[in-house]
Amino acid sequence: MTPYPYLNIGEGLPLAPILPVIITPPDWANNLTTSSIEAFLDTGSDCTLIPLKLLSILQLRLIETNAIINGVGGGTIRGFACYVNIQLAQELHKAIRVYGCPNNQLGDRVLLGRDLLNQCCIEFDGRKLVFQFNDSEKAADE
């Protein structure tokens, strides 16, 4: 288990769990394009969001025209649904439904929501400002 440090995401903001991930089109797309990008692990988000520019870079096919996504404080953004594969630490998660959102909403990061995080065993240690992935099979046996 490799611990990952929380990172600075901006002046005056608390350090946050950020992890580099690799995003690829789903297997059925027959497209070998990949993109490495930082991802914010957001346990308060229901869904995973990616910058709109990744839709173009990865030549992803939309599955719906759009969805309205509500955020904290009542803000809303328009998201464009598609499927991707996401390499998260040592695990490859296939055919994850994500929503492409305007870059000004996400910066140059992916926001990983509970739709993906609930498939992982992650330990967040806010006191030490680190997080780590546990082997889910091993964790279930303990």
Side-chain angles (χ1 to χ4, degrees), residues 113-130:
R114 289 191 316 273
D115 58 336
L116 176 59
L117 297 177
N118 285 350
Q119 299 177 37
C120 305
C121 185
I122 308 170
E123 178 183 328
F124 294 91
D125 187 337
R127 291 181 180 160
K128 293 182 182 176
L129 297 173
V130 297

Side-chain angles (χ1 to χ4, degrees), residues 23-42:
I23 299 182
T24 61
D27 294 349
W28 65 78
N30 294 318
N31 178 346
L32 301 178
T33 307
T34 67
S35 181
S36 298
I37 188 168
E38 285 187 335
F40 175 71
L41 283 64
D42 186 356

Side-chain angles (χ1 to χ4, degrees), residues 53-141:
K53 70 179 180 181
L54 278 184
L55 295 177
S56 177
I57 291 169
L58 297 175
Q59 301 169 17
L60 298 171
R61 195 172 110 214
L62 298 178
I63 55 175
E64 293 179 8
T65 52
N66 63 61
I68 301 300
I69 299 168
N70 297 311
V72 174
T76 60
I77 58 174
R78 185 173 306 247
F80 299 90
C82 61
Y83 287 99
V84 297
N85 294 338
I86 300 177
Q87 177 77 40
L88 182 61
Q90 300 303 315
E91 293 185 33
L92 177 61
H93 298 271
K94 293 187 173 190
I96 302 297
R97 183 180 185 147
V98 301
Y99 294 90
C101 297
N103 296 355
N104 62 338
Q105 299 293 326
L106 298 174
D108 286 325
R109 291 192 178 105
V110 169
L111 187 146
L112 299 177
R114 289 191 316 273
D115 58 336
L116 176 59
L117 297 177
N118 285 350
Q119 299 177 37
C120 305
C121 185
I122 308 170
E123 178 183 328
F124 294 91
D125 187 337
R127 291 181 180 160
K128 293 182 182 176
L129 297 173
V130 297
F131 64 98
Q132 62 188 3
F133 291 82
N134 296 326
D135 177 16
S136 56
E137 290 179 40
K138 182 180 176 184
D141 293 339

